[in-house]
Amino acid sequence: MNAIMLMLLGLGAMFLGYVFYSKYVAEKIYKLDPNFRTPAHEFEDGVDFVPTNKYVLWGHHFTSVAGAAPIIGPAIAVIWGWVPAFLWVIFGTIFFAGVHDAGAIWASNRNKARSIGALTGDVVGKRSQSLFMIVIFLVLLMVNAVFATAISGLLINFPSSVVPVWGAIFVALIIGQFIFRKWMNLGTVSIIGVIALYALIYAGPAMPISLPETVFGISDNAQWILVLFFYAAIASLLPVWMLLQPRDYINGLQLFIGLILVYGAVLLSGPELVAPAFNTNTPEGTPSLVPLLFVTIACGAISGFHGLVASGTTSKQLDKETDARFVGYFGAIGEGSLSLATIIAATAGFATLADWQAVYHSFGQGGVAAFVQGGANILQNGIGLDVDIAQTLLTVMAVLFAGTTMDTGLRLQRYIFQEWGNIYNIRWMEKAAPATLLAVTSCLLLAFGAGGADGSGGLLIWPLFGTTNQLLAGLTLLVITTMLVKLGRPMYVTLLPLLFLLVMTIYALLIQLMGFYQKSDWFLFSLDLVVLIAAIWIALEAASTLTRLRRENKANAVEEQ
């Protein structure tokens, strides 16, 4: 099959989903009100609560939730064939991710911009809240520790990306001042920022930078990880308008330009999908498609991490409640578009099936490397872009998204410690600086305590990220569904995805549990068991809560008659 057909089908379906389905959900289910006073206005403080232009906020939300996950997941999942990956990304984006992300913003916005974890105690129950906070902490720990490892690896393997990656921070600091102080209109600032960013990408191959292999016994990988966490700690304490918003916004524009280039190259070159539609000859050790596909592709279909961003930073910057549709649902569309481009790059970016099989020789292969390699080939064949520049462009895309996710992830982890301080009356923990220090320390303990001197400890628990992340998405949908039931509104748009996620997550956890047992990996076996118990607990809690609320609604309806 030609990649042009896959691209048109995918983008067309997501466009129709945004135009029609998101409008129905926003107006009939969430009933977004343009006159509702958002927490960004009610609690405006110039640091975390800042009313923000919806296009700038979309850039923050989209790039924060994207990270490298919508690249890594699909680029691994095509080992089962491009059809299953394609279908889950498209239908997951339209009926799962968009509803989940916009719903999390709405739920938080209606509750003083509190996080989904904090909301659970009021909406579902205190037992669920304690469980939710633990799951959230685990997901953030995994995301921050693993993305630091992923970024450091890309900076080492592609030294041409170092200048544009770090240069983008200075570009963001400058345009942040222009946007916040309104020294220049958004369109002009956007053009200047994009030109500066792409100039850095062009200059990158001419100025490659590599750290020494060891400094005082610390490897280059560990050096980058320490630098990244030092930067993320500072970034998480700065006012959102100073770095977080402009960096995410300019990265969002950069991604769309990158996607236009990739999709344009596909149109011009018309590459064939060399990978099988359904791979019946998967390498030995490849797990079953069902349910592992649905946890391998998380971001790009649905991801619990999105709910943390939506209710953690995005809801504190929402200018009008109706902006939740564009920021949340269209943010999911953007991520689905990136995942679709990844599927095309990882299946049509190779010359032959044999070349593709050489990369996908075992489960877990592919990832960012397949996206960069395949995408660079498509860019060269389609628009004649030099391979080195094309690889730098795609690597910078991946690193910048992973970096913005780290920025937001560490800020969210700081919020978790502050919320724990509030819940358990630990006053010093409610302050930003101590909470940030705890967040960084916990990540570094995992990175270096479990991973040794190279700081790659986050990879130790990464096999459980997919299931834990999808469990978190289920928890978020449970909160949203409960709110809808209490308001007497239709709940099927969130209940059906909730049930699907719980079934797939519990099924995947059972399969992984058996695998860890067979390998005698008792650490992951124990952690898997904890997450499995949490998943079953949530399923029971969901059934109990929703049944009780429906009975109460029926009783109230009878009394009114």
Side-chain angles (χ1 to χ4, degrees):
M1 181 176 176
N2 193 282
I4 294 176
M5 183 62 69
L6 195 67
M7 180 188 76
L8 294 177
L9 286 172
L11 294 179
M14 287 189 284
F15 172 76
L16 292 174
Y18 178 72
V19 171
F20 297 106
Y21 192 60
S22 75
K23 183 179 181 181
Y24 166 74
V25 172
E27 295 180 357
K28 304 299 182 182
I29 306 299
Y30 298 144
K31 297 185 179 180
L32 303 180
D33 182 1
N35 298 315
F36 180 80
R37 191 183 184 206
T38 65
H41 289 282
E42 185 177 356
F43 307 112
E44 185 174 358
D45 61 6
V47 179
D48 292 318
F49 291 86
V50 180
T52 304
N53 176 288
K54 70 177 183 179
Y55 298 105
V56 176
L57 184 56
W58 172 85
H60 157 70
H61 178 79
F62 165 51
T63 55
S64 293
V65 301
I71 296 173
I72 296 172
I76 291 175
V78 293
I79 198 168
W80 288 298
W82 59 262
V83 169
F86 172 79
L87 292 177
W88 175 228
V89 163
I90 302 307
F91 288 104
T93 295
I94 297 170
F95 298 107
F96 287 66
V99 173
H100 171 275
D101 292 15
I105 297 174
W106 165 74
S108 178
N109 184 65
R110 286 285 169 162
N111 289 274
K112 302 185 183 301
R114 294 167 67 200
S115 74
I116 286 292
L119 274 181
T120 310
D122 296 338
V123 177
V124 182
K126 292 298 181 183
R127 290 178 304 180
S128 295
Q129 181 184 34
S130 300
L131 178 64
F132 207 153
M133 298 292 274
I134 293 170
V135 174
I136 289 172
F137 180 77
L138 280 175
V139 168
L140 289 173
L141 196 63
M142 292 178 191
V143 166
N144 291 331
V146 171
F147 276 27
T149 304
I151 295 170
S152 65
L154 287 169
L155 292 175
I156 292 169
N157 294 328
F158 299 94
S160 62
S161 68
V162 174
V163 167
V165 164
W166 292 101
I169 295 170
F170 294 100
V171 172
L173 286 168
I174 294 170
I175 68 169
Q177 296 292 328
F178 278 85
I179 293 173
F180 183 74
R181 304 188 188 284
K182 299 180 180 178
W183 291 341
M184 200 176 289
N185 66 65
L186 185 61
T188 305
V189 172
S190 302
I191 293 171
I192 292 172
V194 169
I195 291 173
L197 190 58
Y198 275 88
L200 288 168
I201 291 173
Y202 184 79
M207 295 184 290
I209 294 177
S210 299
L211 294 180
E213 289 189 11
T214 57
V215 175
F216 300 115
I218 301 175
S219 68
D220 52 357
N221 188 69
Q223 292 171 49
W224 276 126
I225 289 174
L226 291 171
V227 169
L228 286 164
F229 274 113
F230 179 75
Y231 156 75
I234 295 174
S236 71
L237 290 169
L238 292 175
V240 291
W241 63 266
M242 189 176 291
L243 178 59
L244 192 71
Q245 284 181 355
R247 186 179 182 205
D248 292 352
Y249 174 65
I250 207 70
N251 285 348
L253 293 178
Q254 177 269 147
L255 169 73
F256 260 80
I257 292 172
L259 285 178
I260 289 170
L261 290 174
V262 171
Y263 285 133
V266 169
L267 281 173
L268 291 172
S269 62
E272 294 292 324
L273 301 169
V274 299
F278 295 93
N279 192 4
T280 57
N281 189 30
T282 55
E284 185 178 352
T286 301
S288 60
L289 186 152
V290 178
L292 267 298
L293 170 72
F294 304 102
V295 296
T296 301
I297 300 179
C299 297
I302 183 171
S303 166
F305 181 72
H306 294 199
L308 300 186
V309 175
S311 65
T313 56
T314 303
S315 62
K316 293 178 177 61
Q317 302 170 60
L318 197 69
D319 184 31
K320 296 180 180 179
E321 188 175 65
T322 47
D323 291 348
R325 178 193 173 200
F326 180 80
V327 174
Y329 199 102
F330 193 66
I333 294 293
E335 190 155 23
S337 301
L338 176 57
S339 290
L340 175 61
T342 300
I343 292 171
I344 292 172
T347 57
F350 298 89
T352 65
L353 175 59
D355 292 334
W356 182 83
Q357 290 173 332
V359 172
Y360 289 89
H361 55 81
S362 62
F363 183 72
Q365 299 302 310
V368 175
F371 168 72
V372 171
Q373 181 183 345
N377 290 335
I378 290 174
L379 286 170
Q380 183 188 39
N381 295 331
I383 59 178
L385 196 63
D386 180 77
V387 171
D388 288 338
I389 294 177
Q391 288 185 341
T392 300
L393 169 67
L394 297 176
T395 301
V396 169
M397 279 175 59
V399 173
L400 287 181
F401 285 131
T404 53
T405 300
M406 259 194 81
D407 292 359
T408 303
L410 201 65
R411 187 180 287 258
L412 291 173
Q413 206 163 6
R414 185 246 289 179
Y415 290 165
I416 292 296
F417 278 108
Q418 288 180 292
E419 287 180 351
W420 274 338
N422 179 262
I423 292 170
Y424 299 109
N425 201 29
I426 306 173
R427 296 303 175 197
W428 63 269
M429 196 186 289
E430 294 182 52
K431 299 178 180 179
T436 299
L437 182 61
L438 288 173
V440 172
T441 301
S442 61
C443 291
L444 291 177
L445 282 174
L446 173 62
F448 289 94
D454 69 346
S456 59
L459 297 175
L460 184 68
I461 60 175
W462 186 249
L464 283 172
F465 170 75
T467 46
T468 309
N469 187 47
Q470 298 305 70
L471 175 61
L472 184 56
L475 279 163
T476 303
L477 288 170
L478 172 59
V479 171
I480 299 169
T481 303
T482 304
M483 286 182 62
L484 291 174
V485 172
K486 286 183 176 181
L487 292 169
R489 298 178 190 172
M491 63 175 180
Y492 61 89
V493 296
T494 55
L495 180 62
L496 294 178
L498 165 61
L499 295 176
F500 181 86
L501 284 178
L502 286 178
V503 170
M504 290 301 164
T505 300
I506 292 172
Y507 189 6
L509 283 166
L510 288 170
I511 290 175
Q512 288 183 315
L513 191 71
M514 183 60 67
F516 297 142
Y517 175 79
Q518 291 172 347
K519 295 177 183 177
S520 298
D521 190 337
W522 303 118
F523 174 75
L524 287 180
F525 178 86
S526 302
L527 196 57
D528 188 300
L529 193 61
V530 170
V531 178
L532 177 62
I533 292 170
I536 295 172
W537 188 350
I538 290 164
L540 295 174
E541 196 77 35
S544 173
T545 301
L546 295 176
T547 301
R548 174 175 54 81
L549 288 174
R550 287 177 66 84
R551 286 175 179 171
E552 290 175 0
N553 287 347
K554 287 181 179 179
N556 292 334
V558 171
E559 289 178 4
E560 290 175 1
Q561 291 176 355

